[in-house]
Amino acid sequence: MKRSVPLRSLPAFALLTLLLASEGLARVTASDYARAERLLGWNASRLVLDHPVDPQWIEDGDAFWYRKRVAGGHEFMVVDPVSGNKAPAFDHAALAALLTDAHSGKSFTAFELPFSSIEFLDDGQSFRFWEPATPPSTEDGEAVQRLWTCRVADLECVGPEDIAPVPPHEIESPDGRWVAFVREENLWIRAQGGGEEIQLSEDGAEHYGYGVREEGCCYEISSRRAGIKAKPVLAWSPDSSKILTYRLDERDVEDIHLLETTEGRPVLHRYRYALPGDETIPTYKVWVFDIGSRSGVEMKTSDLPKVNSREGNEDLRWSEDGSSVWFPSGHRGGREITLWTADPTTGEARAVVQETSETFLDLLSYDGQGDWHVTADGEELIWASERSGWAHFYRIDVATGEVRNAITEGSWIATHILHSDSEWLYFTGLGREPGLYPYAAQLYRAKLDGSSIERLSSDDAHHDLAMSPQGGVIVDTRSLRDSAPVTVLRRPDGRPIATLEEADISGLVAAGWAPPQRFSVKARDGKTDLHGFLYAPPDLDPERSYPIIDYIYPGPQIGAVRWRGFTANPAGNVRALAQLGFFVVQFDATGTPFRSKAFHDVWFGDMADNGLIDHVQVIKQLAARTPQIDLDRVGIYGHSGGGFSSTGAILRFPDFFKVAVSSAGNHDQRSYFFGWGEKYQGPLETAEDGSDNYQSQANHLIAKNLKGKLLLTYGTLDDNVHPNGTLLLIDELIKHNKDFDMLALPNRNHRYANEPYSIRRTWDYFVEHLLGQTPPSGYKIEDPPRN
């Protein structure tokens, strides 16, 4: 028997869902999902032709080749840097025919060749390539690659030669004679192509090895399961005679555990992983090994804390002449960084720069490496610092450590070094010229003495830049989210030589793509500008209202937007999600980088903040401008830090955010990597009553606030963000008798957010709980193509 329920007795959100369903809105169908699937990043990117231009320099010169997508596959191009002329790197059709004749039962077309990289030889007169590994064909069963060497002029080819590939865990010397690798915690070398193996270190031990990577994050367990060895941490000297590496000490770091799902008994995995407040963290010492003498020298520093690779701990460099080595080291708490130089023969070391901050230091290391450069003569250092409140470059005397002058200065930021010579520093910068999009990278050069600075780009666009090793040419790809990329070859003074490519996005537009709306609104203080993108649903009806979904990644080391130029693959697959009938917003709130230091520091020490106040304010401002946005239907989603903050959003603002999908969230920094929490929340401090300064940020401690719909997901073998934080949250939700949804993905590590099944379940959740519709049953998103 049906029981009628008075509408006034329903919660507001449930009433809204019921009313939407009664309006007879079009059901979300498999066709709608297929339309959205076409715009998933890996599908949409294949629809952008004559792109990308990623220069691969030929023999360290200014000439280069690149591989671009074309109709039917990919084409290799080579560029003459003097004239700017480009041409196919070889006769693609002829090579396809040659390879087809050489393979039984396989055929190839001009733009579907069985390799993705080439190497030029003999000043560009010939090239070689390797086909992918084939089934075992050597006597010992080792997989081989097939090497071909061809003349460019007549495509006369020698091959195929079966050779054992250089495994990913081996690093080749610059002269191609040796490869270096780690075995049983020791450093080894062997002659390229086989031959005698030479052990360079003798005393490596478990958790105390040479060249080894720290355990955990993000392939520790999955690599073990697949038998994959990690690439060692080392740098060959320019003359291939020495190896710069380190010895990592994790002996007394405590274990953490994960359980692998298998038939029969599950498998217990353990690895070393320090948490905030732990007494012992990983440390290391830097070493140099001499190939000729088979001996090693320890650089004479104290034990250096292995706090985070983003601090540059793995940024080991040689001087250009090989006479010195350089390496930065972070300090526990993230408020100090030191740049060392040392004599590779004696091990004598000294600190050249010691940078400190009252909050935390990132020093432009958002891409994993700090921006610093030692000049060719070894006398000066170019160093990035936020000491003025804005990120800029400084010229430092290597002998004394004194600052000679600021190279750049002002209320804007210099971001990335491209090249330097005896007079100029070439770099990218943000926010210098009023009226330009402040996140769009511009091209500059500045005199090293700080006397002048020149902007070499001339438009309001984002510039993706690469400069040749010799500094002779610049490859400049300019674009914005609503304008297709155009790649120009430039001289060092910025003058154009030639336009190399203009990307064709007609196929993308035909698939339903439309550019987002770029917006600027105010932050929580009512003064500071925040910038982002609003993706609209297709066929926008001015008479209808639509839910809005917020894609969040709070930082602090990076934001949600990531790439500022044109992309068919925005973070979070936001364009695809909008196709299902949502507005989707993506922006960087306060507490994210690429602005002033004060902007970045807004919620230092209060990770519960996550910029969420800004997110509420931004969405309200967008709704005031766009009346189709329904403020009663606001959703939010994110992965990792975004999983932490999306859950925080629905728990801290339960009357605003109605639906959240949170994946792999570090919901309590006390159960996450020590270097993260101690850097952004501060050292763990416990009071006499047992409380501590981390409690305010823990999501499980506010689980009682849940009102809306929450889907929590985690990978059971996540060796970066351990499932423990999510399970604590789940337990508290149960204690408070809260309704929520959960998805555990067996044996996944941290990188599952773009798995088709995970994406589909996210879509389903928002369709059901924000649109009030029934998603198509069991829709299957196809796996990404291999190339």
Side-chain angles (χ1 to χ4, degrees), residues 27-235:
R27 177 184 178 87
V28 177
T29 66
S31 296
D32 296 318
Y33 270 44
R35 178 182 60 192
E37 184 179 0
R38 286 196 294 270
L39 294 184
L40 285 173
W42 57 78
N43 293 325
S45 297
R46 295 167 66 86
L47 300 176
V48 179
L49 304 182
D50 298 323
H51 183 73
V53 179
D54 181 13
Q56 305 298 311
W57 309 105
I58 298 175
E59 297 181 356
D60 293 330
D62 293 333
F64 63 93
W65 65 268
Y66 61 94
R67 180 178 181 254
K68 66 174 181 175
R69 182 171 291 281
V70 296
H74 293 87
E75 184 176 17
F76 292 85
M77 306 295 293
V78 67
V79 176
D80 176 352
V82 176
S83 66
N85 291 334
K86 65 174 184 176
F90 50 83
D91 187 330
H92 289 63
L95 184 56
L98 184 153
L99 292 174
T100 297
D101 289 342
H103 289 75
S104 176
K106 289 185 179 181
S107 62
F108 302 96
T109 62
F111 301 136
E112 289 185 318
L113 298 170
F115 55 91
S116 59
S117 181
I118 57 178
E119 179 182 348
F120 277 96
L121 308 168
D122 307 321
D123 293 326
Q125 300 304 304
S126 61
F127 68 96
R128 63 181 181 178
F129 61 89
W130 292 261
E131 293 184 62
T134 62
S137 60
T138 58
E139 291 183 2
D140 60 2
E142 185 178 13
V144 299
Q145 289 179 318
R146 295 162 64 88
L147 172 65
W148 295 80
T149 303
C150 305
R151 286 203 302 262
V152 173
D154 57 8
L155 211 63
E156 182 72 25
C157 294
V158 176
E161 177 186 359
D162 284 354
I163 62 170
V166 176
H169 66 277
E170 297 183 353
I171 298 180
E172 188 175 8
S173 61
D175 62 7
R177 181 182 174 188
W178 302 98
V179 294
F181 59 97
V182 171
R183 177 186 294 157
E184 296 178 349
E185 314 296 329
N186 281 300
L187 183 66
W188 294 67
I189 60 170
R190 64 169 173 79
Q192 175 68 280
E196 180 187 5
E197 293 183 341
I198 302 169
Q199 184 173 347
L200 295 180
S201 66
E202 301 287 345
D203 57 345
E206 185 177 17
H207 308 304
Y208 192 35
Y210 294 88
V212 299
R213 295 191 176 273
E214 60 191 304
E215 298 183 22
C217 189
C218 297
Y219 301 102
E220 176 73 24
I221 306 304
S222 59
S223 295
R224 286 186 197 174
R225 295 170 68 233
I228 298 173
K229 299 177 182 178
K231 183 183 284 290
V233 178
L234 60 85

Side-chain angles (χ1 to χ4, degrees), residues 575-747:
R575 176 73 274 174
L577 179 58
Q579 297 299 101
L580 298 177
F582 304 102
F583 282 101
V584 182
V585 61
Q586 181 185 48
F587 72 99
D588 288 351
T590 55
T592 55
F594 303 114
R595 302 282 290 275
S596 68
K597 178 62 173 168
F599 184 97
H600 203 176
D601 282 348
V602 164
W603 42 272
F604 168 73
D606 182 17
M607 296 192 75
D609 185 299
N610 273 317
L612 293 174
I613 301 173
D614 294 323
H615 283 260
V616 173
Q617 295 301 318
V618 165
I619 293 171
K620 287 181 177 179
Q621 291 173 73
L622 292 176
R625 300 178 181 181
T626 309
Q628 294 100 325
I629 293 176
D630 187 349
L631 283 179
D632 288 323
R633 291 185 288 164
V634 180
I636 189 166
Y637 73 114
H639 184 81
S640 192
F644 167 51
S645 52
S646 55
T647 296
I650 203 170
L651 297 179
R652 297 180 189 279
F653 297 90
D655 295 319
F656 186 79
F657 294 101
K658 303 303 192 335
V659 183
V661 177
S662 301
S663 55
N666 50 317
H667 297 287
D668 181 358
Q669 312 318 311
R670 290 171 295 187
S671 60
Y672 184 49
F673 170 60
F674 81 97
W676 181 264
E678 292 183 357
K679 180 174 180 177
Y680 297 119
Q681 183 70 13
L684 181 63
E685 299 172 351
T686 304
E688 291 183 3
D689 63 0
S691 63
D692 62 56
N693 60 318
Y694 275 58
Q695 289 180 192
S696 63
Q697 55 77 45
N699 281 337
H700 69 277
L701 297 182
I702 54 171
K704 64 182 180 181
N705 295 345
L706 182 63
K707 291 184 180 179
K709 303 296 293 186
L710 172 62
L711 171 61
L712 297 169
T713 77
Y714 66 92
T716 64
L717 288 184
D718 190 334
D719 49 20
N720 177 22
V721 176
H722 194 280
N724 185 62
T726 302
L727 293 171
L728 279 171
L729 174 60
I730 290 169
D731 191 40
E732 288 297 317
L733 289 168
I734 293 170
K735 289 179 182 177
H736 291 284
N737 199 33
K738 297 295 183 178
D739 293 333
F740 65 98
D741 295 284
M742 183 187 77
L743 174 63
L745 292 102
N747 299 342

